[in-house]
Every structure is written in structure tokens, then in C-alpha cells.
Amino acid sequence: MIDLSGKVILITGASRGIGAVTAKTLSQAGAEVVLHYGQGAADIQAVADSIGRDRGQVIQKDLSVPQAAIALWQAAIAWKGRIDVVVNNAATMPSAGVDDDLDQWQQAWTETLQVNLMAVADICREAIRFFRTRPQGGTIINIASRAAFRGDGPEFMHYAASKGGIIALTRSIARGFASDGVIAYAIAPGFVHTDRIEEVMQTRGAEYVTRDIPLGAPAPPQDVANTIAFLASGLAPHITGATIDINGASYVR
């Protein structure tokens, strides 16, 4: 069993899906968790209740707003006076193709890059500046996507581009700040069986999701949460800079 006792971990996008399962998993392993959410107050409250009031702190910030990520970091670190691990999980995925209205196209790109990349970069900047002030450093875990490597559908090019940026950002942090004790990893899931993917399977059919997954099913969110727990543990710091794929062999690099 992974032991995260004594660690304070910030998880963005913790109200549903991967973030919610991760929050519960890390808490069960002994961590105290900062639960960020943008929308869905009832969902985040359910996560917080399952963890226990003394082990979790809920913070609402809309990461589509510039500077909100900075405010999130400041509020998160104020809870216990430190953050040991950051899990940048929050993301958005609006649809916009080349034949859509120009305003819709540009809005989708602007919002997606702000939430999926700029907010992540801002949090990483704050984390690096904090981690390098202390001997034990700290850990950054950025959730990317299979789309960063194989691309995505024509209506989600902005999403793939944002996740490609996450990979480059994570590698740059690992190379640039390892000597300061800053460890950085990326995780690149394919389809994960969240509520959103369940809706896709219900509307488009399960075959739409599973047809190119050799394991025959989308990954359980627990697979991602377990991987995050391992990386957060500090048991293998020389993995820094690496990307871990969780996609049932639907894309093998």
C-alpha cells in the first residue's frame, strides 16, 4: 500500500471523474488534499464528505479566468502552509471545427488553452518557486492525454494542442529544475470511463469508444488514480520527465 501520510496534495478538477477518484485514493493513502473545483458544488461536497472534513479543503476557482490559478495556489498553500504535490487534472474540451463560426472557433481555442495549459503553467510556476525554497523540493503531476501524441478529431484540435503543450511543459520543468528538487511527471490517458465517456457510449454506442482499445474497454479512473498515488509517493524520482500512458494499448509509443 502506498503511504502518503504527511503529504499535502493539491488536485485541480476534483469534483468528478479522474479528479474525484484521485482525491479519494490519495486521502485513503494518508494524504491531506486540497480539492479544487470550477463548477458542481454538490459533486465536490460529496467528495469532501467521503474524505472527511479534517482531511480535505475545498476551493472554488474558475480556471478559464486569467490569474485564477494564482489565486487557487495562494488559497491552497494557506490551508496548511505548504503543498508537497500538485496534480494538475482540470481540463475543458469544447467542440469547434474549421467550418464553425470564427467566433466559436476562436473562443474554443482561447478557453481551452487558458484552462488546459495557461492555468497549469501558472500553477507550475508557483509550485516551482515554492518547492525550490525547501530541501525536500516537491512533485508536479500533469494530466495530459493520448491526444498529445496521436492527435484528436477535427473538432478537438485545440484540445490535442493544449495537451501537447502539457507534455513539453512537463519535460521542460523536469530538465530545468531537477537540481532544485522539483520532480515532474505527465500522465497521458486515452478514454477513461468517466461520466462523460459513459454518456458518449450511451449516445454513440460502446463500439465508438472501444473499437481501437485492445483491452476492450476504457480505462477505469482508478487506474489513473493509482498511478498518481505511486508518482506522488516519491518512490521513483528518476522517472521525472517521463510520460506514463494509460490507454489499454490503443496508442503505443
Side-chain angles (χ1 to χ4, degrees):
M1 178 65 177
I2 297 294
D3 184 5
L4 300 177
S5 299
K7 292 185 182 290
V8 180
I9 302 179
L10 166 61
I11 307 162
T12 69
S15 62
R16 300 177 64 189
I18 292 171
V21 176
T22 296
K24 295 173 186 177
T25 299
L26 300 187
S27 176
Q28 289 166 1
E32 296 175 292
V33 291
V34 180
L35 308 169
H36 159 263
Y37 77 106
Q39 302 176 9
D43 290 331
I44 198 69
Q45 196 56 59
V47 175
D49 289 344
S50 71
I51 288 172
R53 301 277 181 167
D54 59 330
R55 303 202 59 79
Q57 175 77 354
V58 173
I59 300 175
Q60 191 280 331
K61 296 294 178 185
D62 181 355
L63 296 182
S64 69
V65 177
Q67 309 299 324
I70 306 297
L72 168 59
W73 172 266
Q74 293 169 345
I77 205 167
W79 181 43
K80 296 289 183 178
R82 74 180 199 279
I83 297 293
D84 301 299
V85 180
V86 173
V87 180
N88 281 308
N89 167 71
T92 189
M93 195 177 182
S95 175
V98 296
D99 294 322
D100 288 321
D101 179 79
L102 178 60
D103 288 342
Q104 179 182 345
W105 165 268
Q106 292 184 334
Q107 177 58 35
W109 275 86
T110 299
E111 178 185 350
T112 301
L113 291 176
Q114 169 58 39
V115 174
N116 295 9
L117 186 56
M118 193 66 232
V120 173
D122 284 344
I123 291 173
C124 286
R125 175 180 181 269
E126 296 302 307
I128 291 166
R129 286 160 61 90
F130 175 71
F131 290 158
R132 69 184 183 183
T133 66
R134 58 187 201 155
Q136 66 268 46
T139 300
I140 296 170
I141 303 169
N142 292 327
I143 307 303
S145 170
R146 174 183 66 178
F149 301 100
R150 75 168 207 173
D152 212 319
E155 69 275 31
F156 296 116
M157 290 190 290
H158 46 291
Y159 177 79
S162 71
K163 294 302 186 176
I166 289 294
I167 297 299
L169 171 65
T170 305
R171 291 173 175 173
S172 298
I173 292 170
R175 289 175 56 81
F177 297 98
S179 62
D180 295 313
V182 181
I183 302 301
Y185 311 104
I187 297 175
F191 284 129
V192 178
H193 204 150
T194 60
D195 292 344
R196 185 180 69 82
I197 294 302
E198 178 61 29
E199 291 173 4
V200 171
M201 294 173 72
Q202 292 294 328
T203 56
R204 298 194 180 188
E207 171 66 13
Y208 176 82
V209 170
T210 63
R211 62 192 174 196
D212 67 344
I213 305 176
L215 275 179
Q222 192 66 58
D223 280 19
V224 184
N226 290 344
T227 304
I228 292 170
F230 171 70
L231 296 176
S233 72
L235 289 172
H238 277 258
I239 299 176
T240 191
T243 301
I244 297 178
D245 299 311
I246 305 176
N247 60 48
S250 62
Y251 184 76
V252 180
R253 294 184 289 127

